[in-house]
Amino acid sequence: ARVGLRHRLADGLVRPGFRLLPGAEHEGHHGQRAGARAGSASGIVATARLSGQATGAALVAFCFTLSDTQGPAYALATAAGFAAVGAVVSFSRQLLRV
């Protein structure tokens, strides 16, 4: 099958991200597990990711039901709040590790 230029460019831009980011992101989960447990660690990571996506989509839908005009602003503010909480938790874990 003939692949178009746009598809090749998109593949060239996306594929390195899939190779670099998940490996570094989940190396702690998978690298410390025995062979038999690596599958369950991968399943836990996938379940957490899917739960986060579903929860985020539901929160965005809720923000849009609050207001037609301010819904996007509410959704962005909610996302920024969750990102800030995640950053605080991440930094606190780094500080506690020392």
Side-chain angles (χ1 to χ4, degrees), residues 8-40:
R8 283 184 288 191
L9 285 174
D11 189 50
L13 293 173
V14 170
R15 191 176 300 235
F18 280 123
R19 287 184 184 157
L20 295 175
L21 296 178
E25 180 182 302
H26 302 300
E27 188 172 325
H29 297 294
H30 300 293
Q32 299 173 355
R33 304 289 180 246
R37 291 186 173 181
S40 63

Side-chain angles (χ1 to χ4, degrees), residues 63-64 66-76:
C63 289
F64 275 94
L66 291 177
S67 172
D68 289 337
T69 57
Q70 294 297 318
Y74 294 155
L76 285 173

